[in-house]
Amino acid sequence: MLRNLLALRQISQRTISTASRRQIANRVPEKQKLFQEDNGMPVHLKGGLSDGVLYMITMGLTVFGTCYAVYELFVAAMPKKMK
């Protein structure tokens, strides 16, 4: 039992260790320069093509959802007539 607890403690210390196995290059200064330069673009589109595509998809879904909500409200406001 004690051996299991000691093994668990050793495993948990290893996984929470702050030492990294590989170094990752710090690209924050590059991104800061990209997003802070004054080129007339909105900040949500400065990331490139992928940001533009995500923006267009989001706007399309928003317009579709708004139109669908208005349609459903209109259908609910005008009940079908009983014959």
Side-chain angles (χ1 to χ4, degrees):
M1 176 82 172
L2 182 61
R3 187 180 309 169
N4 290 339
L5 287 174
L6 290 174
L8 180 63
R9 190 184 87 186
Q10 186 178 16
I11 290 171
S12 67
Q13 285 176 347
R14 253 189 257 152
T15 58
I16 301 176
S17 174
T18 59
S20 63
R21 294 177 185 229
R22 60 182 172 154
Q23 293 293 329
I24 299 174
N26 185 7
R27 297 185 311 208
V28 172
E30 297 168 14
K31 293 291 185 181
Q32 284 177 338
K33 286 180 187 174
L34 173 72
F35 284 99
Q36 289 178 354
E37 81 179 27
D38 187 21
N39 58 2
M41 289 181 66
V43 71
H44 59 273
L45 295 176
K46 285 188 178 183
L49 180 65
S50 62
D51 282 349
V53 170
L54 286 173
Y55 178 74
M56 293 304 286
I57 290 171
T58 302
M59 288 299 108
L61 287 172
T62 302
V63 169
F64 174 75
T66 302
C67 292
Y68 186 71
V70 169
Y71 169 76
E72 288 296 326
L73 283 172
F74 181 75
V75 169
M78 303 290 180
K80 294 181 180 178
K81 295 179 182 177
M82 297 283 203
K83 286 188 176 184

